[in-house]
Amino acid sequence: MATINLIDIIAVLMMGTSFAVFSLRQYRHSVLAYALQTLLLVAIFLALYDKYDSHELLVWSVTAFIIKVVCVPLYLLRLIKKLGVVVEDEPVGGFFISPVVALSFSLAVAMMFYKVFIHFSIFKDVLPLFAASFIFMMGIFGFILRTSFLKQILSYCLLENGIHLSLALMAYTSHELVEVGILTDAVFAVIIMSILAKRFYASYGSLNTSKAVNLRG
Amino acid sequence: MDLLLLILTVPFAFGVIMFLMPLHFKFLQTFHILLSVIVSSLLLCAVGKVVNKEVLSLFHDFIFLDSMGAIFLSLIAITGLLANVYATTYMKWELEGGHISLREVKNYFALSFIFTWTMSLSVLCNNIAFMWAAIEATTLASVFLVAVHNDKKSTESGYKYIVLCSIGLAFALYATILLYSAANGKIDGEAMLYTNLLANAASLDPMALKLVFIFALIGFGTKAGLAPTHTWLPDVHAEGPAPTSALLSGVLLKCAMLGLIRYYAVVANGVGFDFVETIMAVSGTLTLFVSAFFLIRQHNVKRMFAYHSIAHMGVIAFGLGVGGAIGLFAALFHCAAHSFTKALAFCSTAISPEFTVRKI
């Protein structure tokens, strides 16, 4: 019973941290919120392993900890330091409206998705399934509403965490190479986006992607 | 050594070798052509075996080559080789014009092998999740084939490419996870394998399959350039070097379409052809009209060709919408025809250093 509660609590905390990653204005704080969320993701893997004795998730938690809790946040913090940026530019709709829009729409979409997913999920835990869809949608809205390139990289990381949690709940029994392939893609995507962010900053003197209007038409 | 294993290792190894080569253009040029010929020969050998009705599979069917895959693998081999050979001359002009450094040329050649490797992997994967990973990897491998220069436009095109394709493909991954969880425990054997899913599609939940197809259409449709998520394509095709545009339009879009066709087949076997045909017909028609509307307003030649590529992807989608033997044949035939003609069209935008068509 204690484990069941723990999984639900971690799921809610993950949702809270995804909101923090989206909303916090200082890049450094956002990255730290992301690291915390991924730590919670590792914790939920371990809790699921404990509850269902799914050995695969123990391996997943180790790889996720090394790559996503340690390496990716350190890489992003290094990028922030290198660029010398502190606070992001004003997003679409302002700093107050955009989190409210993202939160409400993500909750609405997650409410639709989890009811479908729970029919087919291997683990029938309601809150983690809901949290997975919610985090995924927060990532999508991060791309739409936040105009900072760095925030969009963090949104990709959020989106990827949502998918990773869905994968653990719905398809952890799949071939082990699947997780390796998806995780490798995610890491390379972050690295490539970071290189492009550096180039972007060098070209535009800012990370504001709304300035990228040379190719419209 | 197994032919599929060679295809899985050789292009990647060639990419790494090319990264390590000395900075001497004549040598790089000759070496690039030589390695491209070897890679394409390997791919065509595999296609030849499928034509002779041999079944190619590896790692307990994790990797396989069926007749559908063979069509797309032959496009990678033929269009890929021609674009790579053209790239050597194009890069010579860029180098002579001072638009690019020798190191950037070497990196371009190396990345083109990694790109070929990811595209071949996406065609050969029987495991649908790994196929997704390979299609996502095609984006990652080709970002710096597009954003070759360090200027504003190049960076902007690279940014739009990776962001839009990554978001779109995330939906395709959800489709993959949902399909697996709907099939897990209900079908015999591994529920991630396309061949198993296809054989047992009738026993899967119809509602789940419908949702899977819609997610797959958003995901792979984004990468294949279907409206309304086609917006990355004109910017990327127009801004990249001509041989990159040829590869993207001629081969990459088709690899994404193959991913969608795999889902089309599974869902059609599960819920009937009416559902998938209707959706593909609507998607194809919408894509045709949207691309035609934007096409007539363009003056930049490469942007026109890019919108034209979108229109042709609409034609292919419409072919799948018509369905039946004739519709499917038309769609696959058009994949091949468009691959060759559009690659040639993009290459013809720069046929000499003095004659580089930008606007008409």
Side-chain angles (χ1 to χ4, degrees), chain A residues 37-207:
Chain A
Q37 185 189 62
T38 318
L39 192 63
L40 290 167
L41 182 75
V42 170
I44 217 167
F45 286 171
L46 290 172
L48 287 168
Y49 159 70
D50 182 50
K51 186 180 173 186
Y52 298 104
D53 199 26
S54 46
H55 182 74
E56 293 87 343
L57 290 178
L58 186 63
V59 182
W60 285 29
S61 63
V62 175
T63 50
F65 182 80
I66 296 167
I67 296 171
K68 290 165 74 175
V69 180
V70 180
C71 296
V72 172
L74 279 177
Y75 184 76
L76 290 174
L77 286 173
R78 200 170 137 254
L79 176 70
I80 291 167
K81 199 176 169 188
K82 221 174 202 176
L83 294 177
V85 287
V86 180
V87 183
E88 71 169 297
D89 295 301
E90 180 96 1
V92 178
F95 279 111
F96 179 71
I97 297 295
S98 69
V100 174
V101 171
L103 180 70
S104 45
F105 277 93
S106 298
L107 282 172
V109 176
M111 274 179 194
M112 286 192 296
F113 279 1
Y114 95 91
K115 286 189 175 174
V116 179
F117 293 162
I118 202 156
H119 285 295
F120 310 105
S121 181
I122 298 172
F123 302 139
K124 305 284 183 192
D125 300 78
V126 175
L127 262 175
L129 273 169
F130 183 86
S133 305
F134 175 82
I135 296 164
F136 176 81
M137 287 313 298
M138 284 300 281
I140 296 282
F141 281 107
F143 274 111
I144 298 168
L145 298 174
R146 306 303 269 212
T147 51
S148 160
F149 204 144
L150 255 170
K151 260 300 167 64
Q152 292 189 351
I153 297 174
L154 281 165
S155 299
Y156 178 83
C157 293
L158 276 185
L159 186 145
E160 205 275 325
N161 269 359
I163 290 174
H164 209 166
L165 183 56
S166 302
L167 201 67
L169 293 163
M170 296 166 74
Y172 81 92
T173 48
S174 60
H175 200 288
E176 57 268 24
L177 271 177
V178 168
E179 204 237 353
V180 174
I182 293 169
L183 213 54
T184 310
D185 273 349
V187 170
F188 275 100
V190 170
I191 293 170
I192 290 170
M193 281 191 204
S194 301
I195 295 169
L196 282 172
K198 269 190 253 178
R199 274 200 197 180
F200 196 94
Y201 192 75
S203 298
Y204 290 87
S206 153
L207 287 171

